[in-house]
């Protein structure tokens, strides 16, 4: 896809989401910015609790942001009244992790898929029926399941219904929050292929959240790696997967079977981090948030928060030492070599 053909349909600037919890206030999303163009998939990865779903929900205006903005096409979503926002909703849709839990058990497949059209007052009865049939075909649901209830469908079919509901309103942006994590491994690839094809057929801009790095690699044009509410590394899929710069990304990638053998030793060092404890958001580390698990951390990492360092193209890394590490001029500290 040429840069000229790409148009940012979604632009998130400096998003901050805070929650009040029993233990105090936490910042679940801490100054995240991203852009997404038509026909493009951005993969979002990071450990449990790092803020992926919160970011997705903030983009859809399902949780309030304390700071920042979300622009969809030419509209600043934060500036809309509840009624105006409801009118925009059909342009940005979400696919959830648990298809069954997100489907009303009493509704048939066609009623479920037609529901967003009815809610948004799109079309008349006849045109809605056509749209539903078309959506079923696009997601690979056979006509014979039209009258079935969710409980009469397989897990894969349930998720196809979830996807059909999301695309039936003709969205510009599709946010997929771990859409295959709840499915049997044998079904996952099928559902990923459905989403990948839809992205092309419908020219969707897609934000794809996953734990499984191999899924993200397969599907994404660009990748963002999230840690404790922040993007620590962003870039094209090949930049992030074949030349990971942030020690955290390196650690994540070595925990995937297809590790880069050339820099295996360096990655092996980084891998230790994955075994460490995730700090609490109630008391995040000073400076670089990753430093408490990072084998390369120095005093500077505790004192100064690293800003994103932009390499060639879109590759950006939030680490004070990544250039020296890559050049072999900065070794892991002896402390982190213990164990
Ligand atoms: N409504 C809420 N109220 C209070 N805290 C919340 C709320 N929603 C999320 N959190 C907290 O915000 C942080 C980020 O959670 P989030 O669900 O976004 O993480 P995640 O990256 O999606 O994790 P997972 O991979 O497990 O889905 C966590 O500490 C979580 O406990
Ligand atoms: Mg989540």
């Amino acid at each position: 896809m040429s840069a000229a053909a790409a148009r940012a349909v979604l632009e998130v600037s400096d998003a901050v989401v805070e929650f009040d919890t029993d233990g105090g206030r936490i910042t679940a999303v801490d100054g995240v910015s991203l852009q997404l163009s038509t026909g493009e998939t951005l993969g979002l990865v990071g450990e449990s609790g790092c803020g992926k779903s919160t970011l997705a929900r903030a983009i859809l205006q399902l949780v309030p942001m304390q700071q920042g903005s979300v622009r969809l096409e030419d509209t600043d979503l934060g500036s809309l009244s509840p009624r105006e926002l409801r009118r925009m909703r059909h342009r940005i849709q979400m696919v959830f992790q648990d298809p069954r839990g997100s489907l009303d058990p009493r509704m048939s497949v066609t009623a479920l898929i037609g529901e967003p059209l009815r809610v948004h007052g799109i079309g008349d009865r006849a045109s809605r029926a056509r749209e539903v049939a078309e959506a079923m075909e696009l997601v690979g649901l056979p006509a014979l399941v039209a009258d079935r209830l969710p409980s009469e469908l397989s897990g894969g079919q349930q998720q196809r219904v979830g996807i059909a509901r999301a695309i039936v309103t003709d969205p510009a942006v599709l946010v997929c929050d771990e859409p295959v994590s709840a499915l049997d491994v044998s079904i996952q690839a099928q559902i990923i292929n459905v989403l990948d094809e839809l992205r092309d057929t419908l020219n969707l801009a897609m934000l794809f959240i996953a734990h499984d790095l191999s899924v993200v690699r397969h599907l994404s044009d660009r990748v963002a790696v999230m840690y404790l509410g922040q993007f620590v590394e962003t870039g094209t899929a090949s930049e992030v997967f074949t030349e990971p710069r942030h020690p955290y990304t390196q650690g994540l990638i070595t925990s995937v079977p297809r590790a880069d053998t050339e820099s295996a030793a360096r990655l092996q060092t980084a891998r230790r981090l994955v075994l460490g404890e995730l700090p609490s958001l109630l008391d995040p580390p000073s400076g670089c948030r990753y430093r408490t698990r990072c084998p390369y951390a120095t005093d500077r990492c505790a004192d100064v928060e690293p800003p994103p360092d932009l390499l060639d193209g879109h590759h950006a890394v939030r680490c004070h030492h990544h250039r020296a590490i890559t050049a072999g001029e900065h070794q892991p500290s002896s402390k982190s070599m213990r164990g």
Side-chain angles (χ1 to χ4, degrees), residues 53 60 131 138 162 171 174 251 262 277-278 324 332 334:
S53 297
L60 277 102
E131 298 282 345
L138 279 169
L174 194 62
E262 194 185 314
E277 280 282 303
L278 192 65
S334 54

Side-chain angles (χ1 to χ4, degrees), residues 19-21 26 28 47-54 178 211 281:
F19 291 119
D20 285 316
T21 69
I26 60 165
E47 278 164 285
S48 184
C50 72
K52 304 180 297 293
S53 297
T54 302
E178 310 225 21
H211 267 102
L281 279 173

Side-chain angles (χ1 to χ4, degrees), residues 32-47:
V32 166
S33 300
L34 64 88
Q35 287 193 343
L36 202 52
S37 297
T38 293
E40 180 186 48
T41 300
L42 173 66
L44 177 56
V45 294
E47 278 164 285

Side-chain angles (χ1 to χ4, degrees), residues 8 57 106 115 146-147 153 194 245 249 308 335:
R57 301 184 70 220
R106 296 157 305 180
E115 189 182 31
D147 297 323
L153 303 175
V194 167
R245 289 290 197 123
T249 315
K335 197 174 67 180

